[in-house]
Amino acid sequence: MTTPDKDTPLIFVVEDEADIARLIASTLGEYGFRTETFGTGRALLSRARRAQPELAILDLGLPDMDGLQVLRELQEQHPCAALILTGRDGLTDRVLGLELGADDYLVKPFEPRELVARVRSILRRYQKAATSDATGHTGARFAGWHFDIGRLTLSADDGREISLSAAEAALLQTLLKRPNKILTREQLIGERDLDPFDRSIDVRISRLRRKLEDDPQDPKIIKTVYGAGYLLCASVEWE
């Protein structure tokens, strides 16, 4: 057991059932994570204006607003990694959650050790993506776009500016690091033993295409190589 300190990742938890909130907080605390818990979505969003978490764990069935709306507002205003933890196990909620920027989706009842494993996995992906910043890069230009790493934005040559979620930005960084090379879904998500039925990367690729491509149904920048993975077809100039 480790004691959380100010240098460990801060995790926000929004969960209106007090017993479950305490279980999540105590479990993560045992593994060295700092947590702040909230009973409503508005309370979490208000706190996010003053403190930036590395990860938010979101219930969907909240008393004041739907958890998917919390996710939407969080990604628009204060982008961070996100894990949905809910009793709603329908495919529609799962896909929509990933569409809105969630990194993972875990259904209640849950095994505490699995929750910790998923939290660690998500944070590893972001830490891996952030290593490119150590080279001094602040952005990249490719295919008529400018990607600003610090602001999580895409700017087009015609002046349009598009915000990215933290998950979208991490995925784009991975693609930009290895342009014109096929990357498997496992390489893109950072997991060696990816469930063959896991489609979270496919959903995020679809989101990126809608922001980058003139015709997302006939993509020119991010191409699918069937049976192999995805390919960023562009020259990349790092700044």
Side-chain angles (χ1 to χ4, degrees):
M1 182 181 298
T2 58
T3 301
D5 60 49
K6 63 182 179 60
D7 295 320
T8 60
L10 173 61
I11 298 175
F12 282 2
V13 180
V14 59
E15 169 60 65
D16 64 321
E17 294 189 37
D19 289 345
I20 296 178
R22 281 194 294 269
L23 172 62
I24 295 170
S26 63
T27 298
L28 293 174
E30 287 177 5
Y31 288 87
F33 295 106
R34 292 182 296 144
T35 61
E36 293 186 21
T37 60
F38 308 89
T40 66
R42 289 296 173 203
L44 181 145
L45 292 171
S46 175
R47 176 61 174 153
R49 288 195 288 269
R50 304 187 301 277
Q52 178 72 30
E54 278 76 18
L55 171 70
I57 298 177
L58 309 170
D59 186 17
L60 296 186
L62 299 171
D64 61 333
M65 61 193 298
D66 190 274
L68 291 174
Q69 182 61 31
V70 178
L71 176 62
R72 186 194 304 273
E73 293 189 26
L74 191 63
Q75 294 295 5
E76 289 175 353
Q77 300 167 17
H78 316 284
C80 67
L83 166 64
I84 293 175
L85 178 61
T86 180
R88 285 158 45 176
D89 62 354
L91 180 61
T92 299
D93 284 325
R94 194 180 292 264
V95 171
L96 187 54
L98 294 170
E99 286 275 4
L100 292 173
D103 295 272
D104 205 347
Y105 194 106
L106 183 60
V107 176
K108 301 172 184 175
F110 63 96
E111 165 57 50
R113 286 173 298 178
E114 181 181 3
L115 174 63
V116 172
R118 294 199 186 208
V119 165
R120 283 175 165 170
S121 176
I122 292 170
L123 293 175
R124 274 199 306 269
R125 291 177 216 159
Y126 283 90
Q127 288 161 359
K128 226 181 249 188
T131 55
S132 65
D133 294 344
T135 64
H137 293 147
T138 59
R141 295 188 180 276
F142 67 101
W145 289 98
H146 175 255
F147 171 47
D148 188 314
I149 294 174
R151 295 176 59 230
L152 302 184
T153 57
L154 283 168
S155 302
D157 289 343
D158 61 10
R160 285 177 296 143
E161 185 170 284
I162 299 171
S163 295
L164 299 176
S165 71
E168 290 166 349
L171 176 58
L172 180 58
Q173 261 184 280
T174 301
L175 287 164
L176 290 172
K177 287 179 198 173
R178 299 181 66 186
N180 301 301
K181 294 186 178 175
I182 298 171
L183 298 179
T184 66
R185 291 164 62 245
E186 289 80 3
Q187 287 174 307
L188 289 169
I189 203 169
E191 295 289 334
R192 292 182 181 176
D193 301 318
L194 188 64
D195 186 326
F197 297 103
D198 188 317
R199 288 292 175 262
S200 57
I201 280 295
D202 308 295
V203 171
R204 287 173 204 145
I205 289 287
S206 177
R207 287 206 318 266
L208 272 179
R209 281 174 171 160
R210 288 201 295 273
K211 295 182 176 183
L212 287 170
E213 306 276 2
D214 292 331
D215 180 3
Q217 301 304 314
D218 183 23
K220 307 298 184 188
I221 301 174
I222 303 177
K223 289 186 173 290
T224 301
V225 182
Y226 292 98
Y230 294 99
L231 177 73
L232 181 82
C233 298
S235 297
V236 179
E237 180 183 340
W238 288 96
E239 300 175 339

